[in-house]
Amino acid sequence: MQQNMQKIRRRAEGKQKFPQTPLTNLQLEILKLYSVKLSEEELVEIKQLLVRYLAHRMTSRVDQIWEEQGLTEADMERWVNDEQQ
């Protein structure tokens, strides 16, 4: 009985350390998607799709910042050749 109580306390303490946060809309959609049995090939395709999408978003954001800052190819060359980095 005492061992069971210790286990319960440890679980309760663990829950306090990691408070639950609600899932985001993206997490919910991915859970729905993964509730369907997919072949390994389909799973790989979906992972590739997600990676391409996120890479596109990141590239678009970097391009936007690049333009807003008025950066040039010369700036990039300086960064690449900067020995302090």
Side-chain angles (χ1 to χ4, degrees), residues 7-33:
K7 287 180 185 178
I8 291 169
R9 279 193 198 111
R10 279 190 293 247
R11 285 186 194 146
E13 289 169 0
K15 287 181 182 178
Q16 290 172 353
K17 291 178 185 175
F18 302 103
Q20 289 185 335
T21 56
L23 296 175
T24 67
N25 58 349
L26 174 61
Q27 291 168 324
L28 289 170
E29 288 302 314
I30 289 173
L31 283 173
K32 288 178 196 174
L33 175 67

Side-chain angles (χ1 to χ4, degrees), residues 56-71:
H56 173 73
R57 291 224 17 214
M58 183 184 67
T59 302
S60 295
R61 180 67 179 127
V62 168
D63 288 346
Q64 178 186 2
I65 292 169
W66 188 269
E67 196 162 313
E68 287 171 0
Q69 300 280 325
L71 299 171

